[in-house]
Amino acid sequence: MEMVTSGKGYLYNLFAQLCSYVTQTLTKNYLVKYSCISEEERKRVNAKIEKETPLHLDEKGNFSPISEEDITNEFAIKLSSFTDSLKITDDKNCIMRFLQAMDSALSQILAAESIHLQEQQKSKSLNTNRKETGISLLPRCECVWARKSRQSFSYRRIDNYLKYIMVIEDRVLEDIDDEHIFIPKGFFRNFDETKKLKVAACPLNAKSSFDIRFHRNDDLQVFSLDYYPSAIAQDNMRVWNKITEAGKEGAELIVFPEMLGNATMEAFVRQKLQELSEEERQLIPAMIVLPSYFTGSQNYSTVLDRNGNVMARQYKQNPYVMKCKHGEYMENILGSNRIEIFHYEGIGRFAVLICKDFLTTRYMERIMRGFMLTMIIVPAYSTGSYDFKMSFDLCAHDYCNVVWINSCAAMVPGKESNFEYIGYVRKRINRYQDESEAFCKMKPCRSLFQGKCDKKCIYYDSFGAV
């Protein structure tokens, strides 16, 4: 046998093949049972792995790390032959322990892999056989607020038993196209030092800078937005002022609502950032989620770093349906089925889900659980907060924090009671804290209900290690 990929690439593919075998042949119930195998059985499978593979246990009972130089052709042949024998004998316990052994053995290689991925703009997976196996492998970033037993009480997945590798199953994601951004260490400097992430959220405005246009798209009734050209300069400057204000307050992430962007806002903010000196740039939030912009058949939020680089553009996938006196009209967007997943050591994995994407429960759950998200950022333009709070509870179940910000401009006359809160941060707390501390409740100013907006609202909260 000759390795057609690099040594580590061959092991990634072999690992994915074995994961695929597990997902296709072993039941979820078995994944529960595996955690309870006896000490005698654990000794048996450990001895088998040590005898028939080049992997060895250290003094602490973990399989020792290997280097790329260790992955010779002979090394790969032994692991491949052992994998085949496990499938033939259907030695379930040894299959799972072998996956754990490989996970541990690859720890140092995966650490170097993470650094390499940080140098790339976008990544897909470590293995090249995703199409054949339905499995994607990535290095795992730890999260300081997620319990180590995360999700084990509710559902089982292979990587609940792994420490260094994240296993993504395409059968869970269905038709979702994922891209991954590994953010270099030092990006969130204050978080690195304190293990607390300070976030800012701003509803921006009590009036929309657009008209809603109702029209037909073939046999569908749809709506689109027509933005006011006269409001562009003022809106752009307001967003920029909020960004600089949040930076001075020490926020490392700022989030704006849905719909309140425009055709020039991204370029305007990028230019402003690029014109700053290096010293001035350090007083800007590390990550900026701009207001989403509805154009043509897409609605997307641009994510920038403090240097003015576009980290990602997240497109909304699930259209909102507006109920009017003259019928129901669907948001005229196509979506792209692409989700951008950010990875950062200590924060874990996070994504932007625009309004209805967060409220579409099955979609949100597939994203959250398929990628083991630890934070979701939700820009919204909604007539109220009730449905969002229902989704927050699902996220809390998985130790996934949520930052949600609405727009005051979405308030419907006569439904002011729906706007008791304009935003929330839903975060994990420790067992000794009062449940009320799990919510940062963002109350709109009194002026909103009097038709007067001073445009000064900006909210802050911090969350992290518990």
Side-chain angles (χ1 to χ4, degrees):
M1 177 193 72
E2 293 293 332
M3 289 185 288
V4 294
T5 59
S6 68
K8 63 180 181 181
Y10 184 87
L11 292 195
Y12 297 150
N13 284 357
L14 189 67
F15 196 98
Q17 290 173 14
L18 200 51
C19 287
S20 181
Y21 177 84
V22 169
T23 61
Q24 293 176 31
T25 62
L26 303 185
T27 66
K28 293 291 184 183
N29 190 43
Y30 169 74
L31 289 178
V32 176
K33 293 179 178 178
Y34 175 72
S35 63
C36 300
I37 63 171
S38 67
E39 184 61 29
E40 291 77 13
E41 177 64 358
R42 184 173 294 276
K43 288 180 179 179
R44 180 191 73 82
V45 295
N46 281 345
K48 185 173 182 178
I49 293 169
E50 283 200 286
K51 179 180 179 182
E52 301 182 31
T53 78
L55 306 181
H56 299 287
L57 289 166
D58 61 21
E59 296 176 353
K60 296 181 179 180
N62 301 314
F63 281 88
S64 301
I66 61 173
S67 66
E68 285 195 58
E69 291 73 24
D70 292 323
I71 312 173
T72 62
N73 204 57
E74 181 183 1
F75 185 100
I77 289 173
K78 287 184 178 180
L79 292 187
S80 180
S81 298
F82 186 65
T83 298
D84 291 339
S85 71
L86 291 177
K87 293 178 184 177
I88 292 170
T89 58
D90 194 30
D91 190 339
K92 298 180 179 64
N93 292 338
C94 198
I95 287 171
M96 287 300 299
R97 186 57 179 149
F98 184 47
L99 285 172
Q100 291 179 301
M102 290 182 66
D103 173 66
S104 182
L106 287 167
S107 59
Q108 293 181 358
I109 293 175
L110 288 164
E113 200 77 71
S114 292
I115 296 173
H116 174 67
L117 292 176
Q118 292 167 15
E119 298 168 354
Q120 301 180 21
Q121 188 173 12
K122 300 284 177 70
S123 305
K124 286 286 187 181
S125 61
L126 296 177
N127 55 303
T128 59
N129 59 351
R130 182 173 186 174
K131 186 175 181 180
E132 296 79 26
T133 62
I135 296 290
S136 174
L137 306 177
L138 288 168
R140 181 188 297 193
C141 291
E142 290 298 316
C143 176
V144 298
W145 60 80
R147 288 176 63 184
K148 295 188 182 302
S149 59
R150 182 178 186 227
Q151 302 158 338
S152 61
F153 56 83
S154 56
Y155 61 96
R156 291 285 181 172
R157 50 186 287 160
I158 298 170
D159 49 15
N160 276 358
Y161 296 105
L162 307 178
K163 185 175 181 181
Y164 304 101
I165 297 178
M166 178 179 169
V167 180
I168 300 168
E169 299 180 38
D170 285 346
R171 65 174 184 169
V172 175
L173 299 174
E174 296 178 0
D175 59 349
I176 292 170
D177 178 21
D178 51 303
E179 289 187 334
H180 301 266
I181 300 101
F182 281 77
I183 303 174
K185 185 175 176 58
F187 185 87
F188 295 108
R189 293 192 307 275
N190 290 339
F191 171 82
D192 292 340
E193 295 175 3
T194 66
K195 303 307 176 190
K196 293 284 184 181
L197 181 67
K198 186 170 184 177
V199 300
C202 177
L204 269 182
N205 206 343
K207 292 185 179 180
S208 303
S209 299
F210 56 77
D211 286 326
I212 299 174
R213 175 165 48 90
F214 300 95
H215 56 104
R216 291 284 293 273
N217 186 352
D218 293 329
D219 60 339
L220 292 177
Q221 296 187 131
V222 298
F223 72 89
S224 301
L225 302 186
D226 292 328
Y227 287 88
Y228 306 150
S230 60
I232 286 176
Q234 186 179 48
D235 288 348
N236 288 352
M237 202 63 208
R238 184 177 299 121
V239 167
W240 174 245
N241 288 338
K242 294 302 180 185
I243 291 170
T244 57
E245 180 182 343
K248 290 175 182 176
E249 292 296 323
E252 293 194 281
L253 167 67
I254 183 168
V255 185
F256 294 100
E258 182 188 17
M259 302 291 205
L260 300 188
N262 60 57
T264 69
M265 185 176 288
E266 178 185 314
F268 174 84
V269 174
R270 291 186 68 192
Q271 183 176 348
K272 282 286 191 181
L273 291 169
Q274 291 164 357
E275 288 173 350
L276 296 177
S277 68
E278 185 60 33
E279 185 178 357
E280 292 170 326
R281 206 170 284 141
Q282 300 312 308
L283 297 177
I284 297 292
M287 178 175 281
I288 302 160
V289 182
L290 290 177
S292 85
Y293 174 47
F294 189 160
T295 175
S297 57
Q298 299 290 1
N299 179 3
Y300 67 92
S301 289
T302 299
V303 182
L304 302 177
D305 66 19
R306 60 159 56 99
N307 297 313
N309 300 312
V310 176
M311 302 182 72
R313 293 186 183 91
Q314 180 57 60
Y315 291 83
K316 188 177 183 179
Q317 312 296 344
N318 297 279
Y320 170 69
V321 175
M322 185 183 299
K323 295 181 180 180
C324 306
K325 292 180 180 179
H326 44 292
E328 295 188 357
Y329 287 78
M330 186 180 75
E331 186 177 1
N332 190 31
I333 60 171
L334 297 176
S336 68
N337 290 331
R338 180 169 295 172
I339 184 73
E340 308 286 350
I341 308 295
F342 298 92
H343 301 246
Y344 192 79
E345 188 62 38
I347 293 177
R349 292 149 298 282
F350 59 101
V352 176
L353 295 184
I354 302 173
C355 203
K356 191 66 165 63
D357 288 349
F358 184 70
L359 297 180
T360 305
T361 304
R362 174 158 170 73
Y363 177 81
M364 185 273 283
E365 284 188 308
R366 276 188 292 151
I367 298 293
M368 179 178 66
R369 291 180 173 167
F371 301 109
M372 297 180 72
L373 296 188
T374 50
M375 180 171 69
I376 300 177
I377 299 166
V378 188
Y381 186 96
S382 174
T383 56
S385 62
Y386 177 78
D387 291 334
F388 291 91
K389 286 191 68 177
M390 299 290 284
S391 290
F392 295 161
D393 290 340
L394 291 173
C395 297
H397 187 268
D398 281 37
Y399 308 121
C400 180
N401 291 346
V402 182
V403 180
W404 171 71
I405 186 65
N406 197 7
S407 169
C408 297
M411 187 175 70
V412 175
K415 294 188 177 180
E416 287 81 2
S417 61
N418 291 354
F419 272 69
E420 182 181 4
Y421 301 106
I422 194 66
Y424 284 103
V425 171
R426 177 64 165 93
K427 55 192 173 182
R428 187 189 164 212
I429 58 175
N430 66 43
R431 69 184 68 184
Y432 305 109
Q433 292 175 272
D434 188 271
E435 182 61 27
S436 63
E437 297 181 63
F439 278 105
C440 169
K441 301 175 180 179
M442 306 176 191
K443 288 196 170 211
C445 62
R446 294 180 181 178
S447 301
L448 173 65
F449 306 109
Q450 301 168 0
K452 301 174 185 179
C453 176
D454 58 16
K455 304 176 179 63
K456 292 183 179 179
C457 291
I458 189 166
Y459 304 86
Y460 301 97
D461 194 27
S462 296
F463 52 81
V466 296

